[in-house]
Amino acid sequence: MTQPTVAWTRVSRPTSAAVLGAQSGPGQTAPMERPKDRPNRGRTRPAWLSRSVINVVLLIAVAYALLPQVWLVMASTKDLHDLFGTNGFAPGAGFNLDENLRYLFQAQDGIYLRWLGNTVLYAGGGALAASLLCVMAGYAFDKLEVPGREALFGLVLVGVMIPSTALALPTYLLASKVGLANTFLGVFIPGLVFPFGVYLARIFSAAYVPDAVIGASRVDGAGEMRTFWSVAFPMMRPGFVTILLFQFTAIWNSFFLPLIMLSDTRLYPVNLGLYVWNTTAMSQGRPEDYLLAITGSLVAIVPLILLFLTLQRFWRAGMTAGAID
């Protein structure tokens, strides 16, 4: 018996567009086919994971910056017994900050106040003079047509790349040749050189001082010095304050140059004096000097904090220069 043959015919299924077109009436435009949703095959990072990583990194950075200061504040309020007998981040049995400060300012005939005054002169006078020189040099590089200007500015940029520590020993040798070793000027004069400040000053001059204003001042008959002091310098004041803060902090924290330049303890800055106390405490078995070094370190950061809080209005404007065009 012969089996019947079945003919298979492939019937295509109507698409959704065809179905929708068939449902639309005459004269009506069929809606476009909605694209199919594709599965998300890419590796997308959840937003909460990115925020968590950023927050963890920020917390680590904040802890790295604040924990030494918390330890310093806690240690400065303890007496010698609690300093070595309690946890560094825990308060002591008593509050001895007043006694520690009296001991600090009376130790060795009040030499800490002399070190503090030396540091104010080194950092305050040096930063003020260096900032003024940087602003004048930056303005000259930006506005004045001087032959070889770009080549000279390239030399300034080379100076930015050289660390100050590498120049300390040659500076000491030069100071010895001219008789400035172990003198106030031997530490003060190197602080006047600040190549990064010249670089910043040129940027501030280009951003804050329009060429048209300088040209108008010259047309009115003002000389170059009058134009700089009366027109350009007031416009560059945020840049001046920013450079002042940078250089003041750099000189205040300078250590290696005073270490090799000075041998007279009466000319020491605070950092070098604290280093001497810390060294004698560890090498000669004098723990009271260790307490002096800790309390002196707390006092030494107070002027920096006060200066930043006082001038924050200016340096914030300077740091955001050029952020909005």
Side-chain angles (χ1 to χ4, degrees), residues 132 135-144 201-218 222-241:
L132 185 58
V135 169
M136 295 176 71
Y139 171 80
F141 277 121
D142 181 50
K143 302 300 181 187
L144 302 183
R202 182 173 184 176
I203 294 177
F204 278 108
S205 176
Y208 280 87
V209 184
D211 294 337
V213 175
I214 301 299
S217 176
R218 292 168 179 167
E224 293 298 334
M225 291 300 296
R226 178 67 180 274
T227 301
F228 172 75
W229 286 113
S230 301
V231 179
F233 186 75
M235 295 180 181
M236 297 176 64
R237 190 171 299 161
F240 174 79
V241 176

Side-chain angles (χ1 to χ4, degrees), residues 140-307:
F141 277 121
D142 181 50
K143 302 300 181 187
L144 302 183
E145 296 295 335
V146 180
R149 179 181 62 176
E150 296 303 325
L152 291 175
F153 190 69
L155 293 177
V156 173
L157 295 181
V158 171
V160 174
M161 303 300 173
I162 300 176
S164 59
T165 306
L167 301 175
L169 188 56
T171 303
Y172 167 72
L173 296 176
L174 291 175
S176 299
K177 290 289 184 181
V178 297
L180 293 180
N182 196 29
T183 63
F184 174 83
L185 294 178
V187 178
F188 181 80
I189 292 177
L192 304 180
V193 181
F194 189 30
F196 183 66
V198 177
Y199 170 73
L200 283 180
R202 182 173 184 176
I203 294 177
F204 278 108
S205 176
Y208 280 87
V209 184
D211 294 337
V213 175
I214 301 299
S217 176
R218 292 168 179 167
V219 169
D220 290 342
E224 293 298 334
M225 291 300 296
R226 178 67 180 274
T227 301
F228 172 75
W229 286 113
S230 301
V231 179
F233 186 75
M235 295 180 181
M236 297 176 64
R237 190 171 299 161
F240 174 79
V241 176
T242 303
I243 296 170
L244 175 69
L245 288 175
F246 278 139
Q247 185 65 351
F248 184 88
T249 306
I251 299 177
W252 191 277
N253 295 326
S254 178
F255 174 77
F256 188 57
L257 179 63
L259 177 65
I260 63 175
M261 187 70 71
L262 301 175
S263 58
D264 188 355
T265 57
R266 295 175 300 175
L267 297 175
Y268 280 5
V270 168
N271 288 343
L272 196 54
L274 297 177
Y275 169 76
V276 171
W277 276 341
N278 185 65
T279 304
T280 56
M282 300 182 66
S283 61
Q284 300 180 11
R286 300 175 57 179
E288 61 274 11
D289 286 353
Y290 195 57
L291 188 60
L292 286 175
I294 292 174
T295 310
S297 299
L298 178 65
V299 175
I301 65 175
V302 173
L304 291 176
I305 296 175
L306 293 178
L307 187 64

